[in-house]
mmCIF file of all heavy atoms in Angstrom:
data_model
loop_
_atom_site.group_PDB
_atom_site.id
_atom_site.type_symbol
_atom_site.label_atom_id
_atom_site.label_comp_id
_atom_site.label_asym_id
_atom_site.label_seq_id
_atom_site.Cartn_x
_atom_site.Cartn_y
_atom_site.Cartn_z
ATOM 1 N N LYS H 534 -26.239 -13.845 11.559
ATOM 2 C CA LYS H 534 -25.404 -15.018 11.288
ATOM 3 C C LYS H 534 -24.991 -15.041 9.816
ATOM 4 O O LYS H 534 -23.846 -15.388 9.488
ATOM 5 C CB LYS H 534 -26.180 -16.282 11.645
ATOM 6 C CG LYS H 534 -25.424 -17.568 11.333
ATOM 7 C CD LYS H 534 -26.341 -18.761 11.441
ATOM 8 C CE LYS H 534 -25.670 -20.018 10.860
ATOM 9 N NZ LYS H 534 -26.603 -21.143 10.754
ATOM 10 N N ARG H 535 -25.905 -14.671 8.929
ATOM 11 C CA ARG H 535 -25.570 -14.623 7.497
ATOM 12 C C ARG H 535 -24.472 -13.594 7.232
ATOM 13 O O ARG H 535 -23.553 -13.843 6.435
ATOM 14 C CB ARG H 535 -26.814 -14.276 6.681
ATOM 15 C CG ARG H 535 -27.839 -15.400 6.550
ATOM 16 C CD ARG H 535 -29.056 -14.910 5.795
ATOM 17 N NE ARG H 535 -28.696 -14.437 4.459
ATOM 18 C CZ ARG H 535 -29.490 -13.679 3.696
ATOM 19 N NH1 ARG H 535 -30.662 -13.266 4.166
ATOM 20 N NH2 ARG H 535 -29.099 -13.307 2.490
ATOM 21 N N ILE H 536 -24.579 -12.440 7.890
ATOM 22 C CA ILE H 536 -23.540 -11.413 7.715
ATOM 23 C C ILE H 536 -22.185 -11.947 8.162
ATOM 24 O O ILE H 536 -21.169 -11.777 7.467
ATOM 25 C CB ILE H 536 -23.912 -10.141 8.504
ATOM 26 C CG1 ILE H 536 -25.160 -9.496 7.908
ATOM 27 C CG2 ILE H 536 -22.745 -9.149 8.508
ATOM 28 C CD1 ILE H 536 -25.694 -8.335 8.711
ATOM 29 N N ASN H 537 -22.149 -12.608 9.308
ATOM 30 C CA ASN H 537 -20.889 -13.172 9.787
ATOM 31 C C ASN H 537 -20.349 -14.218 8.816
ATOM 32 O O ASN H 537 -19.138 -14.317 8.596
ATOM 33 C CB ASN H 537 -21.086 -13.796 11.168
ATOM 34 C CG ASN H 537 -19.779 -14.201 11.803
ATOM 35 O OD1 ASN H 537 -18.966 -13.366 12.172
ATOM 36 N ND2 ASN H 537 -19.555 -15.503 11.912
ATOM 37 N N GLY H 538 -21.265 -15.010 8.227
ATOM 38 C CA GLY H 538 -20.822 -15.998 7.238
ATOM 39 C C GLY H 538 -20.158 -15.350 6.043
ATOM 40 O O GLY H 538 -19.156 -15.857 5.510
ATOM 41 N N HIS H 539 -20.681 -14.206 5.603
ATOM 42 C CA HIS H 539 -20.053 -13.498 4.485
ATOM 43 C C HIS H 539 -18.678 -12.969 4.874
ATOM 44 O O HIS H 539 -17.749 -12.954 4.046
ATOM 45 C CB HIS H 539 -20.951 -12.343 4.040
ATOM 46 C CG HIS H 539 -22.130 -12.769 3.210
ATOM 47 N ND1 HIS H 539 -22.014 -13.503 2.059
ATOM 48 C CD2 HIS H 539 -23.469 -12.562 3.393
ATOM 49 C CE1 HIS H 539 -23.212 -13.727 1.538
ATOM 50 N NE2 HIS H 539 -24.121 -13.178 2.338
ATOM 51 N N LEU H 540 -18.503 -12.539 6.115
ATOM 52 C CA LEU H 540 -17.193 -12.055 6.559
ATOM 53 C C LEU H 540 -16.166 -13.184 6.541
ATOM 54 O O LEU H 540 -15.015 -12.993 6.126
ATOM 55 C CB LEU H 540 -17.293 -11.456 7.965
ATOM 56 C CG LEU H 540 -18.176 -10.214 8.118
ATOM 57 C CD1 LEU H 540 -18.194 -9.755 9.571
ATOM 58 C CD2 LEU H 540 -17.682 -9.088 7.218
ATOM 59 N N VAL H 541 -16.588 -14.366 6.991
ATOM 60 C CA VAL H 541 -15.685 -15.526 6.986
ATOM 61 C C VAL H 541 -15.339 -15.905 5.551
ATOM 62 O O VAL H 541 -14.175 -16.170 5.224
ATOM 63 C CB VAL H 541 -16.333 -16.706 7.731
ATOM 64 C CG1 VAL H 541 -15.474 -17.959 7.588
ATOM 65 C CG2 VAL H 541 -16.524 -16.366 9.204
ATOM 66 N N GLU H 542 -16.340 -15.910 4.687
ATOM 67 C CA GLU H 542 -16.107 -16.258 3.283
ATOM 68 C C GLU H 542 -15.243 -15.214 2.598
ATOM 69 O O GLU H 542 -14.444 -15.529 1.707
ATOM 70 C CB GLU H 542 -17.449 -16.377 2.561
ATOM 71 C CG GLU H 542 -17.344 -16.776 1.098
ATOM 72 C CD GLU H 542 -16.798 -18.184 0.905
ATOM 73 O OE1 GLU H 542 -17.247 -19.097 1.622
ATOM 74 O OE2 GLU H 542 -15.910 -18.355 0.041
ATOM 75 N N ALA H 543 -15.372 -13.966 3.017
ATOM 76 C CA ALA H 543 -14.620 -12.875 2.382
ATOM 77 C C ALA H 543 -13.121 -12.997 2.599
ATOM 78 O O ALA H 543 -12.328 -12.729 1.688
ATOM 79 C CB ALA H 543 -15.111 -11.529 2.918
ATOM 80 N N ALA H 544 -12.703 -13.387 3.810
ATOM 81 C CA ALA H 544 -11.282 -13.310 4.152
ATOM 82 C C ALA H 544 -10.675 -14.620 4.624
ATOM 83 O O ALA H 544 -9.554 -14.971 4.225
ATOM 84 C CB ALA H 544 -11.079 -12.241 5.223
ATOM 85 N N ALA H 545 -11.379 -15.353 5.481
ATOM 86 C CA ALA H 545 -10.766 -16.525 6.116
ATOM 87 C C ALA H 545 -10.700 -17.723 5.175
ATOM 88 O O ALA H 545 -9.661 -18.388 5.082
ATOM 89 C CB ALA H 545 -11.536 -16.893 7.388
#
Side-chain angles (χ1 to χ4, degrees):
K534 177 192 169 189
R535 286 177 59 196
I536 294 173
N537 189 69
H539 283 305
L540 296 179
V541 173
E542 182 66 45

